[in-house]
Amino acid sequence: MKSNRRQFINSAAMLAASALLPENVFSKGNINSFPISCNQYDWITFYQREGKDWFSDLDSSLADFASTGLKAYEPGLNTVDDVKKLLPLLQKHKLLMPSVYVNSSLHEHDEGQKSIQTVLSIADALKPADTKIVVTNPNPIQWGGQQNKSDAQLTEQAKNLDLLGAELRKRGMTLAYHTHDVELRAAAREFHHMLLATNPQNVSLCLDVHWVYRGSGDSQIALFDIVKLYGTRIVELHLRQSKGGIWQETFGEGDIDYKLLISRLKEMNVRPHWVLEQCLEKISPKTMSAAEAHKIDLKYVSEIIF
């Protein structure tokens, strides 16, 4: 899915949204400042299963999204034009956008500099929405490939990630590092280096819980060790559940003990932004529509985190 911007800024809806987004959303005691959000990707997977395209009529798609009671949307953005197309639709459907997911490629110098400028231009275009968190998952060498980055590439990527985070801080935003399973290969060297070689003030963590679980061989031990090591850097959680290793249609009880995870985070006084991302895979159950599933998701998450 990557307007009038002046109208968007001046709208009553946007003023109301801004009131919900205080300047320092991560201060202690400021619990759950954002409403529960949902990433666009899981909606894409539901729509694809039904032979539909999420982006062919984004207005209608976001109406479906809003019908569930969800109040916040986390899109994936690639260009400034993506932002411009999205802003008036968010206003129309009374949806907030406290966080966004933006692609980046940071392990080579020249490509990294171009990627940083692209992300920053998107961040500047997001000012009307008062977005606070920019999530990025630096590209692997090849999606689906088996080649790991070299030490030199990891060094370059960490340097660029820290630079990007520092620039976003100047804009009042927080950079949240995200991973899939590839970063957990080879003793999780990529995952650990991105956090150990960057300044915590510049680079926070978006913990995609199930990708860490799956990337560690379906290990809750590894997942909770990562929470113990880096929990204080978590500003956002991507929420997905499986049963027997298979992604389910709805978020609820399953392989990962989310109630224990939430308890551990509360013990650390960590209050992240909660983002549903209950995606489907080919072998997932097929019993309900996207809207039906997300109503169940929202109810369950609301019960366990508040």
Side-chain angles (χ1 to χ4, degrees), residues 128-153:
D130 203 15
T131 299
K132 295 298 185 184
I133 303 172
V134 176
V135 179
T136 195
N137 191 137
N139 290 334
I141 292 176
Q142 179 184 358
W143 287 104
Q146 297 302 309
Q147 185 178 356
N148 296 323
K149 293 167 186 169
S150 67
D151 283 0
Q153 288 172 321

Side-chain angles (χ1 to χ4, degrees), residues 3-15 18 79-91 97 120-131 171 173:
S3 80
N4 190 319
R5 294 179 63 186
R6 182 171 298 175
Q7 281 184 333
F8 189 76
I9 296 170
N10 293 333
S11 70
M14 202 61 236
L15 290 174
S18 298
T79 68
V80 170
D81 283 343
D82 289 343
V83 181
K84 292 178 179 179
K85 292 174 184 177
L86 182 58
L87 292 182
L89 295 177
L90 293 179
Q91 178 188 3
M97 190 168 58
L120 293 178
S121 67
I122 290 171
D124 290 338
L126 287 167
K127 288 180 182 179
D130 203 15
T131 299
R171 292 162 170 80
M173 294 177 169

Side-chain angles (χ1 to χ4, degrees), residues 14-35 96 98 129-133 171-174 271 273:
M14 202 61 236
L15 290 174
S18 298
L20 293 173
L21 300 174
E23 182 176 353
N24 183 5
V25 297
F26 306 121
S27 60
K28 291 183 179 180
N30 189 6
I31 301 172
N32 299 312
S33 299
F34 299 147
L96 304 180
D130 203 15
T131 299
K132 295 298 185 184
I133 303 172
R171 292 162 170 80
M173 294 177 169
T174 295
R271 309 296 194 229
H273 177 39

Side-chain angles (χ1 to χ4, degrees), residues 106 138 149 153-161 190 194:
L106 302 174
K149 293 167 186 169
Q153 288 172 321
L154 292 181
T155 298
E156 180 69 23
Q157 180 171 292
K159 180 182 71 175
N160 288 330
L161 195 66
E190 180 168 348
M194 291 311 105

